[in-house]
Amino acid sequence: MAAGEPGAVDNDGEKGGLRAALSGLTTRGRSFLAAGVAAAVCAYVLGQGDLLRVGLLLAVLPLICVTVLYRTRYRVTGSRWLSPSRVPAGSEARVHLRMDNISRLPTGLLMLQDRVPYVLGPRPRFVLDRVEAGGRREVSYRVRSDLRGRYPLGPLQLRLSDPFGMCELTRSFSAYDTLTVIPRTESLPVLRLAGEASGYGDGRQRSLALAGEDDVIPRGYRHGDDLRRVHWRSTARYGELMVRREEQPQRARCTVLLDTRRIAYQGAGPDSAFEWAVSGAASALVHMLERGFAVRLLTDDGSSVPGEGSDGFAGSTQESADSAGLMMDTLAVVDHSDGGGLSRAYDVLRGGNEGLLIAFFGDLDEEQVAVASRMRQRSGAAVAFVVDSEGWARGGDGTPPASVAARLRLLREAGWTAVAVPPGTRLTQLWQQAGRQHGDTRSATTGGSTGFSGGWS
């Protein structure tokens, strides 16, 4: 829940003077004023004293309402908070508004209007009856968007009116809030797959402080240490009981690569191939974080999120929560890149063993398939979901065309677990298909061995 900063409206001291107040005359007030002037002119021409008094009454009444409304001294504060401030696309969020009368005088009729983008729906309007001195009123409304993004809410507008409806003055608060609509995510099944390479496993791996037995750095004996871990050579050297260091837990790594190249996707809208790829990347990020992996988001232009900590991956549990929010906020506003290749992403990955690599690709040509093949050499395991954007745009029957099938074959030959993404297919089904494909590949390469030693999801 995010709370907006409270703002205050002071009805006394607004710039523009009475001229600005006269511009707030309603249709009723302008009609009364025009009728009064007309009646006064007719009374002067015809010499009718009674008509002149009626005309003066009609003309003076709206002017009195303007003066009273303008000179009324009271202060009103307003605040806004969202519940929640980050919501998946297609879900609703509730916006709460609170008005406080902090003056010593009661207010008249108040009309509230909050500014919201048209994507979130019509502008909400509320009518508040008389608010007593020191009183408060709370109202709320719902917003919903099928399109991800960051949407500003506010500023809140307050319309003041006199009891006769002759004049209305509009005041605006300065505070506003931002609603973040993140991509939809799917709950993915847990697949236990063979994890022969370091860098991925069941979310955690264990390693000694140094590799060799002779290089183990010992420490002093502590009460409760296992005597089987006593390092006798160091004990004889230092003259006190020394034990080998315990194995240190480390978090397995996972990189989620999102292809955002404009030339790799066709179509637009919430049901387009690109939006499916963004939602798929978000689902994979959430799933791998829940499995205990240190995860980062990488795009084709080389941008990495979170970008800080240990080699750009999420660190401790608290850092993982913050990094997850940062990555989801990034996916909420990610757009097509103008780049034509994946070379920048490869430059980020070629630094060393990156553990598990999960990629969401658009259309790939032979050159980009070659770059993706080199990426596979820098990871412990690699899973690719290749979107047939042309099929998504024309509404294909789910059978990948020959060009896509050829790209998948090249990726599999390079060691990828490559899965085609037909139009409208849920990621959950493809996730299970990737697991079966990976298991079949390992059975073929190990001569039928099906020993499970870890997992990438």
Side-chain angles (χ1 to χ4, degrees):
M1 179 179 297
E5 294 182 0
V9 168
D10 192 344
N11 197 44
D12 185 45
E14 185 76 16
K15 294 182 179 180
L18 288 176
R19 180 178 299 179
L22 289 174
S23 64
L25 283 173
T26 62
T27 302
R28 178 184 300 177
R30 295 178 186 273
S31 300
F32 268 68
L33 183 59
V37 172
V41 171
C42 292
Y44 176 77
V45 173
L46 300 177
Q48 297 291 329
D50 294 338
L51 182 60
L52 178 61
R53 287 189 290 270
V54 173
L56 292 177
L57 177 61
L58 294 177
V60 170
L61 181 59
L63 297 179
I64 293 176
C65 292
V66 169
T67 303
V68 172
L69 186 62
Y70 176 75
R71 298 292 297 177
T72 301
R73 298 174 179 267
Y74 58 82
R75 292 178 57 85
V76 177
T77 63
S79 60
R80 177 196 303 104
W81 67 95
L82 311 179
S83 176
S85 61
R86 184 186 292 116
V87 62
S91 300
E92 291 185 344
R94 183 168 291 274
V95 183
H96 302 268
L97 304 175
R98 190 179 75 181
M99 304 299 300
D100 293 272
N101 182 14
I102 60 176
S103 65
R104 298 181 179 179
L105 298 176
T107 68
L109 189 66
L110 301 179
M111 286 170 283
L112 298 179
Q113 176 178 280
D114 206 6
R115 291 186 178 181
V116 300
Y118 72 93
V119 177
L120 301 181
R123 290 186 176 182
R125 294 179 174 89
F126 304 93
V127 178
L128 303 182
D129 204 352
R130 178 177 179 272
V131 181
E132 64 279 4
R136 100 177 24 166
R137 297 290 186 272
E138 293 185 2
V139 294
S140 64
Y141 63 93
R142 294 178 295 180
V143 291
R144 179 181 180 274
S145 175
D146 292 327
L147 300 176
R148 57 185 176 80
R150 292 174 61 88
Y151 301 100
L153 301 179
L156 182 65
Q157 290 184 333
L158 179 64
R159 296 170 60 188
L160 314 176
S161 178
D162 66 280
F164 299 101
M166 299 287 182
C167 180
E168 290 182 354
L169 299 181
T170 301
R171 301 291 183 262
S172 296
F173 295 88
S174 58
Y176 68 93
D177 293 274
T178 301
L179 175 67
T180 303
V181 180
I182 61 177
R184 298 184 182 95
T185 59
E186 298 183 34
S187 179
L188 303 179
V190 177
L191 303 181
R192 301 291 297 180
L193 303 178
E196 72 283 5
S198 63
Y200 71 105
D202 62 350
R204 292 190 178 273
Q205 59 184 6
R206 305 184 69 86
S207 63
L208 289 174
L210 294 177
E213 174 68 19
D214 294 336
D215 295 329
V216 173
I217 301 177
R219 61 170 175 83
Y221 175 82
R222 299 172 185 170
H223 180 71
D225 286 340
D226 190 352
L227 293 178
R228 290 175 296 181
R229 303 192 62 83
V230 173
H231 194 259
W232 298 108
R233 183 181 304 176
S234 299
T235 299
R237 179 180 179 182
Y238 292 101
E240 61 177 322
L241 200 59
M242 306 291 291
V243 297
R244 294 188 299 272
R245 289 185 181 273
E246 297 177 352
E247 295 177 341
Q248 302 297 323
Q250 298 177 355
R251 302 187 70 191
R253 293 178 175 181
C254 174
T255 299
V256 177
L257 173 61
L258 175 62
D259 182 9
T260 64
R261 294 172 299 133
R262 189 180 303 275
I263 62 175
Y265 298 94
Q266 300 180 20
D271 297 327
S272 63
F274 179 67
E275 292 301 323
W276 187 96
V278 174
S279 298
S283 301
L285 287 170
V286 173
H287 180 75
M288 301 310 293
L289 284 172
E290 291 176 349
R291 296 295 300 158
F293 281 69
V295 184
R296 71 174 173 181
L297 172 66
L298 180 64
T299 58
D300 58 287
D301 59 2
S303 301
S304 179
V305 181
E308 298 179 356
S310 177
D311 298 329
F313 291 84
S316 63
T317 304
Q318 181 61 37
E319 292 175 352
S320 296
D322 297 339
S323 299
L326 180 59
M327 288 185 286
M328 296 302 289
D329 290 344
T330 302
L331 290 176
V333 297
V334 69
D335 202 356
H336 291 290
S337 67
D338 295 328
L342 303 171
S343 57
R344 293 184 179 179
Y346 171 72
D347 292 339
V348 177
L349 293 173
R350 68 179 181 179
N353 193 329
E354 298 297 334
L356 174 62
L357 175 61
I358 304 176
F360 293 85
F361 291 125
D363 294 332
L364 299 174
D365 54 21
E366 294 183 0
E367 180 181 356
Q368 303 312 315
V369 170
V371 176
S373 299
R374 294 196 298 270
M375 291 181 183
R376 170 63 184 91
Q377 301 172 2
R378 302 296 180 179
S379 62
V383 183
F385 298 94
V386 183
V387 180
D388 176 20
S389 64
E390 182 179 357
W392 280 75
R394 59 181 171 81
D397 57 358
T399 302
S403 59
V404 176
R407 303 294 184 260
L408 292 174
R409 184 179 65 256
L410 293 176
L411 289 175
R412 290 165 183 165
E413 291 176 354
W416 283 86
T417 300
V419 179
V421 181
T425 308
R426 293 178 59 85
L427 178 60
T428 303
Q429 303 174 5
L430 300 177
W431 193 264
Q432 295 174 335
Q433 179 181 344
R436 292 192 297 268
Q437 184 183 131
H438 185 86
D440 295 341
T441 302
R442 282 198 54 78
S443 297
T445 57
T446 59
S449 173
T450 58
F452 292 168
S453 60
W456 54 266
S457 61

